[in-house]
Amino acid sequence: MKEIESKRVLIKKVLEESDKFVGQEGVLVCGWVRSLRKSKHCSFVVVNDGSTQNALQIVVDPAVANYEDISKMITGFCIRARGKMVASQGKGQTIEMVAEKIEIIGTVNDEYPLQKKATSLEFLREVAHLRARTNTISSVLRIRHALSFATHKFFGDRGFFYVHTPIVTASDCEGAGAMFRVTTLPPGDAADFSKDFYGKPTFLTVSGQLEAECLALGLGQVYTFGPTFRAENSNTPRHLSEFWMIEPEVAFCDLDDLAELASDYLQFLIGHVLDHYRPELEFLSTQNQNGDLISRLQAVRAAKFHRVSYTEAVQILEEAMNSKKQKFEFKVYWGCDLQTEHERYLTEKHFMGPVIVTDYPKEIKAFYMKENPDGKTVRAMDVLVPGVGEIIGGSQREDDHQKLVKRIQEMQLHEKDYWWYLDLRKFGGAPHAGFGLGLERAIMYVTGMTNIRDVIAFPRFSGSAEF
Ligand code: 4AD
Ligand code: MG
């Protein structure tokens, strides 16, 4: 390995700056063999290093040392190749490498699970430790990075501070009780939590919101970006028990400002991927009947999001149900929680694009949402998108101390646990609002992937914590 002295370059750089590279000798790349083809006079090795969707073709002349071994390589071999970059004769690529030296640094045998033949997404979940080498999963993971990076850019440029909220918590933000317990008590112990590590029952957080509110009422505009955990037993293509959430929280902000922030943010994310990850989107467009992926994203980037109240949304759904335009498994009525099928009807059939639904009945929403003057609904907002359903959930927060106490009691939460949260309303309170974007749902939307287990490297869901 010592004899190759030049510094490795990323294949992404070589392909994107091909003009600069053509004619250069001693260029060093490393990567995994995607395919190998032998002709009478030479071998063609297609290699990908993960830096981009596209691969680099390397032409290997029999005069190259160890040609015998090279020409016997199969998909999955790992190599280090040095050579001269030349303009490509073949179609589909502008530049290729003529090998000067190739070292085989990792071999595979015929037990390698990722042979060249198409492998289903279901099968790839069973070999999640290797699937980052596939076209589909690697492109999805690069877009995952893109959305994370664009998140920091978007909020950073707008003067938001990135804050870190606890993973271990004693309070249930969503009041849904679907929390994982954190304990050092020995198994089987009749739970005396006063003897537990923290002296009381603690859990993995379902949301950083409550702490983010504390910080927003000091720093003004903050956002969290962290893992969240929900022990709901929902075995669906849209739920994970460990997922990542981005939660901006803004002081001096009402629901209208928040809705605007949410659509600006989503459009920024989409724009960033359209501008910088075109090869990935083009590849994904060829998968899962995603043909219109790019034009769909372009349209969403430019269009104003639709906005309706929950009450209007229910009218639309009842209309569809009564006129037999649409059958629903779950009946729709004012007060019902919108199911995925309802959300999808609204975005896919009625509005045909993202829609922001506001002002839900307070009974179906969390305790912290600001009550409307009608006494029945709260200043909540869900952003729904085609193909996925709910992607963002948020609200203006109840800033009236009395009303919040009443709500906590009505919902039979322990007022004592929320003393610090209530203090925010006692001392220098201010109107404020925030939302949570599920990172995995956003990736599904942008990539057109239909199962959430394929947009996170190592998915966690009920019954599965492999890898
Ligand atoms: O609507 P949710 O439950 O809202 C909250 O947690 C608020 N505390 C957020 C806030 O106001 N700061 O969750 C927010 C988003 C959902 O819209 C969805 O995208 C995602 O988180 N989400 C999940 N993603 C994957 N798997 C699950 N089990 C999810 N549950 C929610
Ligand atoms: Mg929600």
Side-chain angles (χ1 to χ4, degrees), residues 26-254:
V27 173
L28 175 67
V29 298
C30 298
W32 294 269
V33 173
R34 283 283 162 87
S35 64
L36 187 137
R37 183 166 57 84
K38 259 186 282 187
S39 82
K40 246 196 250 149
H41 310 293
C42 59
S43 293
F44 299 95
V45 183
V46 175
V47 61
N48 178 281
D49 65 358
S51 63
T52 182
Q53 190 64 33
N54 297 322
L56 178 71
Q57 174 160 285
I58 304 175
V59 186
V60 195
D61 186 272
V64 169
N66 63 339
Y67 182 77
E68 273 302 293
D69 293 340
I70 293 165
S71 63
K72 279 193 228 127
M73 292 192 302
I74 56 172
T75 301
F77 267 60
C78 189
I79 61 167
R80 190 189 307 247
R82 189 179 56 176
K84 181 175 179 182
M85 304 310 304
V86 299
S88 175
Q89 321 292 315
K91 56 175 174 354
Q93 68 247 3
T94 54
I95 189 166
E96 63 190 24
M97 175 183 276
V98 175
E100 290 156 8
K101 181 178 180 66
I102 292 191
E103 283 169 75
I104 297 172
I105 55 181
T107 62
V108 299
N109 58 25
D110 55 13
E111 286 165 24
Y112 183 54
L114 309 179
Q115 301 298 341
K116 210 191 147 200
K117 65 176 170 356
T119 30
S120 72
L121 293 170
E122 287 78 10
F123 170 72
L124 292 178
R125 275 173 227 147
E126 291 167 25
V127 289
H129 58 305
L130 297 171
R131 67 179 178 164
R133 296 192 204 162
T134 63
N135 280 325
T136 304
I137 302 300
S138 67
S139 62
V140 167
L141 291 176
R142 279 189 294 273
I143 288 177
R144 187 182 171 102
H145 158 79
L147 296 183
S148 310
F149 176 86
T151 291
H152 291 300
K153 174 102 182 98
F154 176 83
F155 288 113
D157 286 354
R158 289 189 173 215
F160 282 65
F161 297 105
Y162 172 33
V163 296
H164 303 98
T165 50
I167 306 280
V168 175
T169 177
S171 45
D172 181 356
C173 173
E174 293 306 299
M179 302 178 88
F180 289 102
R181 175 150 276 153
V182 175
T183 180
T184 52
L185 292 176
D189 202 349
D192 177 1
F193 292 108
S194 66
K195 296 206 179 74
D196 205 349
F197 190 87
Y198 296 105
K200 57 174 163 182
T202 50
F203 308 88
L204 294 177
T205 190
V206 296
S207 161
Q209 176 195 322
L210 303 187
E211 290 90 352
E213 283 187 49
C214 304
L215 302 176
L217 294 178
L219 291 164
Q221 313 188 106
V222 301
Y223 69 104
T224 69
F225 189 161
T228 48
F229 307 86
R230 297 195 185 177
E232 27 181 74
N233 209 342
S234 27
N235 201 4
T236 83
R238 290 180 185 73
H239 289 87
L240 292 167
S241 57
E242 176 179 304
F243 62 98
W244 288 69
M245 197 161 33
I246 295 118
E247 297 184 272
E249 190 69 38
V250 196
F252 320 113
C253 176
D254 66 14

Side-chain angles (χ1 to χ4, degrees), residues 174 230 365 381-382 390 392-394:
E174 293 306 299
R230 297 195 185 177
K365 288 292 181 188
M381 141 191 125
D382 276 6
E390 180 191 337
I392 286 179

